[in-house]
Amino acid sequence: MPWTGNWEMAVVVATGRSGRDRAALRDVLSQHRLAELREGIWLRPANLDRPAAYQAEPALNTFVARPDRDAAELAEHLWQLGDWSRRAHALEAQLRETTDPALRLTVAANLVRLLSTDPILPPALLPAQCPAESLRAAYGAYQGELRALAAN
């Protein structure tokens, strides 16, 4: 969905919850690709067309917000996009250069792990040469290789 500049924001309002409950909520918010700005304040650009099931969580109040600061700088701060991109480029190169099947599987597993942390940001917030799409394509090609091997 086109990004309008709005951000999803979830603020933890419940206190006295167990560590297990706090960890479970952190997992849910992370799975919905929100990042923690500071303790108890989670946000992300409102560019994903998906059910935000976390909004029903009684420990949260949710809002639509617009940051006062530069949104690309905020995204870099929240997700360390430069570091993410460097790791992605390195994994993509490793997958391309590695021929040993067991090592390729290990690289592919690390690639999937990294893709699971992709915040899926709108293009306006991505750093130059963000490798997320090419990393997905490289993994798709690897899956095709595995299917071809399984068919033989």
Side-chain angles (χ1 to χ4, degrees):
M1 104 180 169
W3 184 54
T4 63
N6 289 337
W7 288 59
E8 298 175 25
M9 184 167 64
V11 178
V12 179
V13 293
T15 58
R17 295 171 313 131
S18 71
R20 184 180 194 162
D21 288 344
R22 289 191 310 273
L25 182 57
R26 291 179 69 82
D27 286 346
V28 166
L29 293 170
S30 294
Q31 288 168 4
H32 279 83
R33 305 293 207 254
L34 279 81
E36 194 169 28
L37 178 63
R38 63 177 299 276
E39 187 173 350
I41 300 176
W42 293 75
L43 60 156
R44 70 153 293 106
N47 67 310
L48 299 179
D49 188 16
R50 46 100 169 113
Y54 69 88
Q55 292 175 335
E57 169 64 46
L60 296 175
N61 281 345
T62 59
F63 306 88
V64 173
R66 266 186 194 258
D68 288 338
R69 67 193 262 193
D70 180 80
E73 287 177 11
L74 180 57
E76 170 58 39
H77 171 76
L78 290 170
W79 287 283
Q80 293 82 44
L81 298 173
D83 291 341
W84 192 95
S85 291
R86 280 187 287 284
R87 290 194 319 268
H89 283 298
L91 283 170
E92 191 174 1
Q94 283 179 332
L95 188 64
R96 190 174 44 252
E97 296 162 5
T98 303
T99 57
D100 178 83
L103 293 177
R104 282 179 65 74
L105 179 62
T106 300
V107 172
N110 286 322
L111 190 147
V112 168
R113 202 170 295 116
L114 183 63
L115 280 173
S116 74
T117 66
D118 178 4
I120 312 172
L121 298 174
L125 301 183
L126 294 174
Q129 284 110 35
C130 180
E133 289 304 316
S134 65
L135 198 60
R136 283 186 190 86
Y139 183 68
Y142 175 73
Q143 287 179 310
E145 291 173 28
L146 290 179
R147 281 191 292 279
L149 284 172
N152 291 334

